[in-house]
Amino acid sequence: SESIEKGLDVLSKLGIEVDRSNVDAHLHATKDLLSAHTDSEILNSKQMADPTMIMAMKFLGRLVLWMTQIMPKLVPHVAFKIIQLSLTHGMSPVSPIGFAYYGSHLAKSR
């Protein structure tokens, strides 16, 4: 868990905060964010170009994989952040990971 905290600290220094509060609030916020976009808009989103955001996304992608093993309850928080950044700054190779974990969380919560 120390590596997770260090990863979150690095993200914070990049200006990315992963809010670890209410998962349901994140779920609703993500649904609202996604509902503001059509499938076509999401599929045809621009590619992420900001080097800081690209680095942050790489960290988020690694963090979500570590969390799966070490702190699984925090995985949805990181997945929601990946989706949020993807929709606001463009898609990256890490974006599908966020969408996959989001879908998995939705399936589990039914």
Side-chain angles (χ1 to χ4, degrees), residues 11-39:
L11 286 166
S12 180
K13 289 177 182 173
L14 293 172
I16 306 299
E17 297 296 331
V18 176
D19 180 7
R20 295 183 259 177
S21 63
N22 188 340
V23 145
D24 290 330
H26 285 292
L27 181 62
H28 291 298
T30 303
K31 281 182 183 178
D32 291 344
L33 186 61
L34 287 170
S35 69
H37 301 275
T38 66
D39 291 348

Side-chain angles (χ1 to χ4, degrees), residues 24-87:
D24 290 330
H26 285 292
L27 181 62
H28 291 298
T30 303
K31 281 182 183 178
D32 291 344
L33 186 61
L34 287 170
S35 69
H37 301 275
T38 66
D39 291 348
S40 180
E41 288 172 339
I42 293 171
L43 290 171
N44 295 305
S45 292
K46 65 181 179 176
Q47 186 172 358
M48 191 174 284
D50 180 340
T52 301
M53 287 298 122
I54 292 169
M55 185 182 307
M57 288 290 279
K58 287 179 181 179
F59 252 94
L60 286 165
R62 287 185 178 96
L63 198 58
V64 79
L65 294 175
W66 297 333
M67 284 180 168
T68 301
Q69 299 297 317
I70 301 168
M71 302 171 110
K73 290 183 180 181
L74 292 181
V75 168
H77 301 282
V78 176
F80 301 153
K81 181 55 77 172
I82 290 171
I83 292 171
Q84 177 190 25
L85 293 176
S86 296
L87 293 175

